[in-house]
């Protein structure tokens, strides 16, 4: 009898253990065998408690090694895990299975990265991936100081196995400045190296903080960051280089004071009436050249190979032709990618409405890029042109009979100008972020027309991050080199099912894409396709432009860079999660990287004190450093150029945090924290704590706190939320001032997430009270922008109260959002004008009483955020789950 009971209990236990093992399918789009994959996965509250209880199976059901990182949790309301990063190397299949549960234990990786990080004044880092070793010296030359490969597989590295080293004179990386005195060549100094979150035995990330210094005292020092991703058992590294422009952009007469739009005082306010100053359009400090370089250790009888695409620059699926050049003793081998002039003197909407139709005030189909001669990829041997095409793939490889080095740059065309170069005189191989041969990059204004109510230039403090792949090999065939380059140049995109992303509810009650409600889905998907159509055909490309798009389409012309308002990158990340389509991943990633780099102020910035120096004087030296600009971390306003205008409350970090979660982009959280720290300073006094500045700060801070769990952000967030609730009672139950009706998205999404992670009943009550207000007193201060923005708060009213009147009112307001089906696929239209006319025919949106309708279907993504993007996914959810809300 005892034995029978024992067997029975064992069987029950085994069944319970088996039941605890849950499986989650993963799919990779654009898979390349062996690619390093980092996948961010959300988990519903209470579903997973330890990242150690995860393992990965391939398409055959066999376990493969993976590395997991806990990114954030559901705290403070629950201690379960909210987001996880899963890292692995793909195989030939595109489908995998994540298995998790309390009784799931992963295998240990056979190959491990070993690294030493010694940041003494004379120290450095030493990294060993197994077959590859590299060092970065604190007193070295600014990049990889020595790279070795274990060619004889004996587990050690001797001098004969060195394949690359740094150039001399601190020129491993460079940012050279040109002004009236000529080019001032930089020297790179390493300050610190840190291991980033997400590092482990299979994948390690090293953040290198350095400074460019110059000979002439009139040129400001410039910080740079290099993130190096190393992989166990691999001989390639991914490198992300971030430069910062710290120059004086033009020669206008500097006034004392601040612009009224961003004033931190009222004693010295600048005049905006300085259009007669010619200095605005005269460049001062320009970027002469920027890049990374290594000295290769190969035989003299080396060859250089690089692929060029046949056909037009805008064709996606063209064949590539491999070009080969024998390296001589004298002549450089260069690959250059150029494009159209990045600024053609564009004026603003105001010029158009004043009737200045022939003043170059916009980008029209007639003024579109000349496809035959504006984009050009050129291969040169010395000064001799060997080959030309419109588009290069973006990698170059130099090999002798036994060894080789390949370098690829992501978005080689889209972020032009770019260049790759081999110089046999110095044995240098260069990855040029801004090639010297392209001529200097000027940040001077193209005209003196006020933009965003300002005549200004805020180019100082712009950054740009460029992604490289460095592949060190034993003379592999170029087909293998090409595959490795696709790890970065055409990076595979892994994802779980759209239903998993939405059911995790990390962003509330969102429905995955479906065909059940085609007229609502058309309103979303056609708009994103319209944006992509224009991005490719205008094209919205260039080193400081790519990722962004224009806001307004008027009289067949596009105006004003969007600069992420209102959190456009998050719209795209949401659509990626809802659809699982990789094209939205690429769009979102490009927009997030653009806006965190270009659409933000990053300098002057005082360093953080770490105490890594033993001598006490280090702190007092730090104390004497100049303080950061008060505008550190604030965003740029939509304008004709990215650096023409600033405005308080014009920065959105929600998409950056989503990028951090979904892709493991550590820089995204770094810049989000910079913005969060600016909120704590409250540089605008009570102006910072009123109106849309207050609402947007709550949305930003709740995302930042949720990602970091840092008390300084929680304290600031709590105070601002309490202020919102206090002001609500003075506004009749309305969370918003009437002036800012379109800001429903900020106030309500921010408070809902705060409620989600804290469970505070007073937040639920405030949201329900607000839903009643907008149901009974709909805002029309910005016409449809404000009116349609109320759909989401009405849905929350329905969620909390189960009263059908909220859902019925939301549906009634959403009726105008419905879009009929186009007669043909969007990509089958010949041009923007034809597609615009077709879209307007299937749209039901009302016209504005003003000069033009900025919420129409043929406009950009700016107003679309308030009217569509943050309403429809939630509306579809409740259309599908309305019955459940009444059970």
């Amino acid at each position: 009898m005892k034995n029978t009971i024992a067997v029975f209990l064992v069987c029950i236990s085994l069944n319970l253990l088996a039941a605890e093992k849950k499986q989650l399918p993963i799919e990779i789009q654009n898979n390349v065998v062996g690619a390093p994959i980092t996948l961010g996965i959300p988990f519903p509250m209470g579903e997973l408690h330890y990242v150690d209880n995860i393992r990965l199976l391939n398409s055959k059901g066999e376990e493969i090694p993976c590395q997991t990182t806990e990114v954030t949790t559901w705290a403070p309301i629950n201690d379960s895990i909210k987001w996880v990063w899963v890292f692995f190397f793909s195989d030939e299949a595109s489908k995998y299975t994540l298995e998790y549960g309390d009784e799931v234990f992963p295998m240990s990786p056979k190959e491990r990265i070993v690294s030493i990080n010694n940041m003494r004044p004379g120290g450095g880092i030493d990294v060993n991936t197994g077959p590859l070793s590299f060092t970065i010296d604190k007193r070295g030359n600014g990049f990889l100081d020595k790279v070795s490969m274990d060619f004889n597989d004996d587990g050690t590295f001797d001098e004969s196995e060195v394949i690359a080293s740094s150039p001399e004179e601190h020129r491993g990386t460079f940012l050279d400045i040109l002004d009236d005195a000529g080019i001032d060549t930089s020297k790179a100094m390493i300050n610190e190296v840190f291991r980033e979150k997400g590092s482990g035995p299979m994948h390690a990330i090293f953040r290198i903080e350095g400074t460019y210094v110059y000979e002439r005292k009139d040129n400001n020092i410039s910080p740079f960051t290099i993130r190096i991703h190393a992989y166990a058992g691999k001989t390639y590294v991914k490198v992300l280089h971030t430069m910062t422009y710290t120059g004086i952009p033009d020669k206008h007469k500097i006034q004392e004071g601040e612009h009224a739009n961003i004033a931190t005082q009222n004693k010295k306010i600048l005049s905006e009436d300085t259009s007669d100053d010619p200095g605005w359009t005269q460049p001062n400090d320009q970027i002469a050249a920027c890049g990374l370089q290594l000295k290769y250790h190969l035989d003299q009888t080396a060859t250089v190979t690089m692929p060029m695409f046949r056909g037009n620059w805008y064709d996606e699926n063209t064949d590539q032709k491999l070009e080969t050049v024998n390296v001589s003793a004298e002549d450089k081998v260069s690959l250059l990618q150029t494009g159209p002039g990045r600024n053609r003197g564009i004026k603003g909407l105001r010029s158009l409405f004043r009737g200045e139709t022939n003043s170059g005030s916009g980008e029209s189909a007639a003024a579109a890029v000349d496809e035959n001669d504006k984009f050009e990829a050129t291969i040169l041997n010395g000064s001799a042109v060997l080959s030309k095409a419109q588009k290069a793939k973006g990698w170059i490889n130099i090999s002798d009979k036994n060894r080789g080095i390949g370098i690829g740059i992501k978005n080689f065309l889209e972020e032009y100008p770019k260049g790759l170069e081999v110089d046999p005189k110095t044995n240098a191989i260069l990855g040029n972020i801004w090639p010297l041969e392209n001529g200097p990059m000027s940040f001077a204004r193209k005209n003196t027309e006020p933009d965003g109510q300002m005549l200004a230039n805020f180019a100082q403090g712009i950054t740009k991050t460029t992604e490289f792949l460095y592949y060190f090999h034993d003379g592999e065939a170029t087909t293998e080199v090409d595959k490795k380059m696709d790890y970065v140049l055409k990076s595979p995109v892994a994802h779980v099912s759209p239903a998993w992303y939405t059911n995790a509810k990390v962003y509330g009650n969102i429905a995955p894409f479906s065909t059940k409600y085609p007229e609502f889905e058309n309103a979303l998907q056609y708009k994103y396709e319209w944006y992509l159509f224009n991005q490719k055909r205008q094209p919205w490309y260039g080193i400081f432009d790519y990722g962004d798009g224009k806001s307004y389409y008027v009289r067949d012309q596009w105006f004003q860079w969007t600069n992420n308002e209102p959190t456009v990158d998050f719209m795209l990340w949401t659509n990626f999660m809802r659809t699982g389509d990789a094209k939205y991943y690429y769009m979102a990633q490009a927009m997030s990287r653009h806006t965190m780099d270009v659409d933000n102020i990053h300098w002057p910035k005082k360093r953080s004190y770490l105490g890594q120096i033993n001598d006490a004087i280090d702190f007092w030296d730090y104390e004497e450093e100049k303080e950061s600009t008060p505008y550190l971390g604030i965003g740029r306003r939509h304008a004709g150029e990215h650096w023409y205008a600033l405005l308080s409350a014009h920065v959105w970090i929600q998409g950056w945090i989503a990028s951090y979660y979904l892709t493991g982009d550590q820089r995204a959280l770094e810049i989000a924290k910079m913005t969060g720290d600016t909120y704590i300073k409250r540089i605008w006094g009570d102006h910072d704590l009123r109106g849309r500045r207050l609402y947007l700060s709550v949305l930003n801070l709740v995302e930042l706190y949720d990602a970091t769990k840092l008390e300084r952000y929680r304290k600031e967030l709590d105070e601002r939320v309490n202020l919102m609730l206090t002001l609500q009672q003075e506004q009749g139950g309305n969370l918003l001032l009437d002036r800012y009706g379109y800001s429903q998205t900020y106030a309500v999404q921010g408070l809902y997430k705060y409620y989600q992670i804290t469970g505070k009943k007073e937040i639920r009550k405030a949201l329900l009270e607000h839903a009643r207000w907008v149901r009974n007193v709909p805002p029309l201060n910005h016409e449809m922008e404000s009116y349609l923005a109320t759909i989401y708060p009405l849905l929350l009213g329905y969620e909390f109260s189960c009263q059908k009147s909220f859902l019925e009112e939301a549906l009634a307001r959403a009726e105008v959002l419905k879009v009929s089906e186009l007669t043909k696929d969007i990509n089958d239209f010949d041009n923007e004008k034809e597609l615009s006319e077709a879209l307007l025919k299937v749209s039901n949106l009302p016209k504005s009483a003003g000069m033009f309708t900025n919420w129409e279907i043929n406009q950009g993504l700016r107003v679309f955020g308030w009217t569509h993007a943050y309403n429809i996914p939630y509306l579809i959810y409740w259309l599908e789950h309305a019955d459940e809300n009444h059970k």
Side-chain angles (χ1 to χ4, degrees):
M1 182 67 178
K2 290 182 178 178
N3 289 337
T4 302
I5 294 173
V7 171
F8 177 71
L9 292 174
V10 168
C11 290
I12 291 176
S13 299
L14 289 174
N15 287 331
L16 288 173
L17 291 176
E20 288 178 350
K21 291 184 179 180
K22 300 179 182 181
Q23 293 190 330
L24 176 60
I26 294 171
E27 185 175 348
I28 301 177
Q29 294 185 44
N30 301 325
N31 186 36
V32 185
V33 177
I37 304 293
T38 297
L39 169 62
I41 303 176
F43 282 85
M45 190 184 301
E47 185 74 7
L48 178 70
H49 288 86
Y50 302 102
V51 294
D52 300 319
N53 297 130
I54 292 175
R55 68 175 188 156
L56 193 66
L57 310 177
N58 64 16
S59 60
K60 300 175 184 178
E62 302 166 338
E63 184 177 2
I64 60 175
C66 70
Q67 176 180 305
T68 55
T69 303
E70 178 186 308
V71 183
T72 191
T73 70
W74 284 92
I77 198 170
N78 189 282
D79 63 358
S80 62
I81 292 173
K82 193 171 191 177
W83 283 93
V84 167
W85 291 331
V86 178
F87 174 84
F88 62 99
F89 297 106
S90 68
D91 56 25
E92 65 277 359
S94 295
K95 295 185 183 298
Y96 302 80
T97 301
L98 188 80
E99 193 170 70
Y100 67 96
D102 291 343
E103 296 302 321
V104 172
F105 302 101
M107 66 186 296
S108 297
K110 294 179 180 179
E111 297 174 301
R112 291 173 173 266
I113 298 170
V114 178
S115 64
I116 300 170
N117 186 15
N118 182 351
M119 282 294 104
R120 285 182 172 182
I125 67 168
D126 194 319
V127 181
N128 183 341
T129 70
L132 183 76
S133 171
F134 64 85
T135 62
I136 298 173
D137 299 329
K138 198 167 183 181
R139 293 179 179 173
N141 288 289
F143 187 38
L144 302 176
D145 286 293
K146 185 167 72 171
V147 183
S148 304
M149 280 187 66
D150 186 12
F151 289 103
N152 58 12
D153 294 323
D154 66 353
T156 62
F157 301 92
D158 57 41
E159 287 303 311
S160 67
E161 294 176 308
V162 175
I163 191 171
S165 58
S166 62
E168 298 174 352
E169 301 297 325
H170 300 282
R171 296 278 292 172
T173 177
F174 54 91
L175 172 59
D176 300 336
I177 295 297
L178 172 68
D179 57 22
D180 291 343
I183 293 179
D184 196 348
T185 56
S186 64
K187 292 186 177 181
M189 304 297 176
I190 299 295
N191 301 326
E192 298 296 329
V193 181
F194 305 91
R195 290 186 180 94
E196 292 275 38
K197 185 171 185 174
S199 295
M202 298 174 62
H203 174 210
I205 309 113
F206 302 91
R207 185 177 86 248
I208 303 154
E209 301 286 353
T211 305
Y212 296 119
V213 297
Y214 298 93
E215 293 291 334
R216 297 198 293 269
K217 292 182 179 179
D218 64 320
N219 287 323
N220 297 315
I221 62 172
S222 176
F224 67 87
T225 302
I226 299 174
R227 284 180 169 86
I228 297 179
H229 294 246
Y231 307 96
K234 310 301 179 183
T235 63
Y236 55 81
V237 294
K238 183 170 74 172
V239 177
L240 291 101
H241 173 279
T242 302
M243 54 147 276
T244 302
Y245 172 74
T246 62
I248 307 299
D250 59 50
K251 297 180 179 178
H252 80 271
K253 185 178 179 181
I254 304 297
Q255 303 178 70
E256 187 178 359
E258 296 174 324
H259 295 274
N261 282 4
I262 52 173
T264 63
Q265 43 75 44
N266 63 354
K267 305 302 180 186
K268 295 181 179 179
I269 302 302
L270 296 176
S271 169
E272 305 296 344
D273 186 20
T274 58
S275 60
D276 59 346
D277 185 344
W280 287 113
T281 59
Q282 297 170 354
N284 191 350
D285 295 325
Q286 303 176 78
I287 295 176
C290 182
L292 298 168
Q293 58 181 325
L294 288 173
K295 184 178 180 180
Y296 59 84
H297 293 239
L298 304 172
D299 294 342
Q300 293 300 314
T301 56
T303 59
V304 175
T305 54
M306 64 215 87
M308 304 277 270
F309 285 112
R310 296 183 174 94
N312 296 312
W313 60 269
Y314 51 81
D315 292 332
E316 292 186 4
N317 299 313
T318 56
D319 295 332
Q320 62 185 53
K321 178 184 178 183
L322 201 64
E323 304 282 356
T324 302
V325 182
N326 293 322
V327 178
S328 68
E330 297 292 327
D331 295 327
K332 295 180 181 179
V333 179
S334 304
L335 170 63
L336 294 172
Q337 177 71 63
T338 58
R342 63 165 311 281
N343 190 318
R344 288 166 283 186
I346 297 168
K347 292 189 177 181
L349 279 170
R350 188 174 300 177
S351 296
L352 179 69
F353 292 132
R354 286 201 303 253
E356 299 175 20
T357 56
N358 298 316
S359 62
S361 58
E363 293 177 345
S364 66
V369 176
D370 186 335
E371 298 154 356
N372 296 316
D373 63 8
K374 292 295 184 180
F375 282 95
E376 188 172 78
T378 308
I379 297 174
L380 300 107
N381 193 3
S383 60
V385 176
L386 301 184
S387 180
K388 280 191 175 184
Q390 291 189 30
K391 177 170 62 171
K393 186 169 184 180
W395 64 260
I396 191 170
N397 181 72
I398 179 170
S399 296
D400 58 22
K401 293 179 180 179
N402 302 305
R403 304 179 179 188
I405 303 174
I407 302 179
I409 301 179
K410 189 179 182 69
N411 298 326
F412 199 71
L413 172 83
E414 291 83 354
E415 295 181 358
Y416 74 87
K418 288 289 175 283
L420 292 161
E421 178 182 303
V422 171
D423 186 351
K425 288 185 179 179
T426 58
N427 284 6
I429 181 167
L430 282 75
N432 288 312
I433 295 164
W434 186 278
L436 180 66
E437 295 83 352
N438 191 69
M441 167 64 201
S442 169
F443 292 95
R445 293 181 62 104
K446 297 300 179 182
N447 58 61
T448 56
E449 179 176 302
D451 208 335
Q453 305 172 24
M454 307 174 80
L455 177 52
N457 191 330
F458 297 103
Q460 188 177 69
I462 274 179
T463 65
K464 178 59 190 175
T465 301
T466 304
E467 186 171 343
F468 297 79
L469 185 81
Y470 283 78
Y471 179 39
F472 307 95
H473 57 89
D474 56 2
E476 284 189 330
T478 51
T479 54
E480 289 301 313
V481 176
D482 191 47
K483 288 180 182 178
K484 293 294 190 298
M485 291 301 155
D486 278 345
Y487 294 170
V488 162
L489 273 58
K490 192 178 180 182
S491 54
V493 174
H495 61 86
V496 293
S497 71
W500 180 269
Y501 286 117
T502 56
N503 290 341
K505 299 190 183 299
V506 292
Y507 293 114
N509 292 313
I510 300 176
F513 173 85
S514 75
T515 57
K516 292 181 182 178
Y517 305 97
E519 291 180 308
F520 284 133
E521 286 291 359
N522 288 344
L524 288 175
Q525 305 311 323
Y526 284 172
K527 188 76 162 194
Y528 293 126
E529 293 282 358
W530 165 246
Y531 177 93
L532 186 60
F533 186 95
N534 284 280
Q535 185 183 54
K536 291 180 177 179
R537 286 164 176 78
Q538 283 297 330
W540 294 328
Y541 288 173
I543 182 172
F544 293 107
D545 295 338
Y546 180 61
D548 204 353
K550 297 297 179 75
S551 295
Y552 303 120
Y553 188 66
V554 187
R555 301 179 194 173
D556 304 324
Q557 299 177 76
W558 280 102
F559 297 86
Q560 290 195 352
W561 293 108
T562 301
N563 291 357
N564 210 33
E565 185 180 22
T567 186
V568 172
D569 57 343
F570 185 65
M571 299 180 207
L572 297 169
W573 284 122
T574 301
N575 210 47
F576 164 68
M577 289 183 280
R578 292 188 68 240
T579 64
D581 193 329
K583 69 183 174 186
Y584 297 117
Y585 178 102
Y586 298 133
M587 292 168 68
Q589 184 182 55
M591 185 63 172
S592 284
R593 287 187 174 181
H594 165 84
T595 190
M596 70 177 73
D597 275 346
V598 178
D599 298 339
N600 206 295
I601 300 294
H602 301 81
W603 192 89
K605 180 183 180 182
K606 186 174 182 176
R607 68 185 171 100
S608 299
Y609 183 71
L610 300 174
Q612 76 277 31
I613 303 299
N614 282 333
D615 300 329
I617 196 172
D618 177 55
F619 174 74
W620 306 113
D621 290 341
Y622 161 78
E623 283 285 277
E624 289 186 357
E625 290 180 9
K626 290 183 179 179
E627 291 297 323
S628 302
T629 170
Y631 304 133
L632 190 71
I634 78 166
R636 304 178 190 278
R637 192 181 190 191
H638 48 281
E641 185 56 277
H642 300 291
W643 46 87
Y644 280 4
L646 300 181
L647 189 65
S648 62
H650 229 262
V651 60
W652 292 264
I653 73 171
Q654 193 178 26
W656 305 346
I657 301 295
S659 176
Y660 171 71
Y661 289 150
L662 287 162
T663 76
D665 187 347
Q666 292 85 0
R667 177 165 168 77
L669 185 63
E670 172 193 355
I671 304 305
K673 289 166 69 176
M674 188 174 73
T675 294
D677 291 341
T678 299
Y679 281 130
I680 293 171
K681 296 174 185 175
R682 299 186 180 184
I683 62 173
W684 290 301
D686 279 354
H687 174 77
D688 190 36
L689 300 174
R690 297 294 187 276
R692 75 170 194 177
R693 292 156 298 282
L694 175 61
Y695 320 142
L696 182 54
S697 71
V698 168
L699 176 62
N700 284 337
L701 282 167
V702 73
E703 290 287 350
L704 184 56
Y705 169 70
D706 197 29
T708 64
K709 309 302 182 191
L710 292 174
E711 187 58 32
R712 69 177 185 268
Y713 301 130
R714 175 65 189 270
K715 180 177 182 294
E716 186 69 20
L717 174 62
D718 286 347
E719 290 183 13
R720 290 177 183 243
V721 167
N722 290 335
L723 178 59
M724 279 187 68
L725 269 56
T726 299
L727 293 172
Q728 182 184 27
Q729 302 314 308
E730 299 176 10
Q731 294 159 187
N734 189 357
L735 281 168
L736 283 70
L737 283 171
D738 284 339
R739 162 71 172 81
Y740 299 109
Y742 60 91
S743 293
Q744 307 288 335
T745 296
Y746 310 150
V748 179
Q749 278 213 358
L751 284 182
Y752 183 83
K753 186 151 195 174
Y754 185 81
Y755 168 72
Q756 198 182 32
I757 64 176
T758 64
K760 290 187 175 182
K761 294 180 180 179
E762 60 267 32
I763 305 301
R764 177 185 175 119
K765 180 177 181 295
L767 287 169
L768 182 55
E769 188 177 355
H770 177 72
R772 291 193 190 100
W773 176 271
V774 296
R775 180 191 61 189
N776 300 330
V777 190
L780 291 166
N781 47 74
H782 283 70
E783 298 181 75
M784 289 296 103
E785 292 178 62
S786 299
Y787 182 72
L788 295 175
T790 60
I791 293 172
Y792 177 66
L794 286 169
L795 294 173
L796 291 187
Y798 176 64
E799 177 182 341
F800 292 147
S801 72
C802 300
Q803 293 184 20
K804 284 189 176 181
S805 63
F806 289 110
L807 180 59
E808 289 169 353
E809 184 63 22
L811 285 168
R813 295 184 189 186
E815 192 67 24
V816 296
L817 298 179
K818 291 181 177 179
V819 173
S820 304
E821 189 172 353
L822 287 169
T823 57
K824 59 182 179 181
D825 185 89
I826 279 183
N827 291 312
D828 291 335
F829 286 88
D830 292 331
N831 54 60
E832 301 84 27
K833 184 176 181 181
E834 181 189 356
L835 177 54
S836 171
E837 291 171 352
L839 288 170
L840 289 173
K841 287 180 181 178
V842 296
S843 173
N844 291 298
L845 288 165
K847 297 295 182 182
S848 171
M851 290 180 285
F852 77 102
T853 305
N854 63 8
W855 56 78
E856 257 294 10
I857 194 170
N858 68 339
Q859 298 302 309
L861 291 180
R862 179 172 171 259
V863 176
F864 179 73
W866 297 307
T867 58
H868 293 67
Y870 299 120
N871 292 312
I872 292 177
Y874 303 90
L875 183 68
I876 293 175
Y877 175 90
W878 285 113
L879 284 173
E880 294 180 343
H881 296 273
D883 291 340
E884 298 172 18
N885 208 39
H886 291 275
K887 289 182 180 179

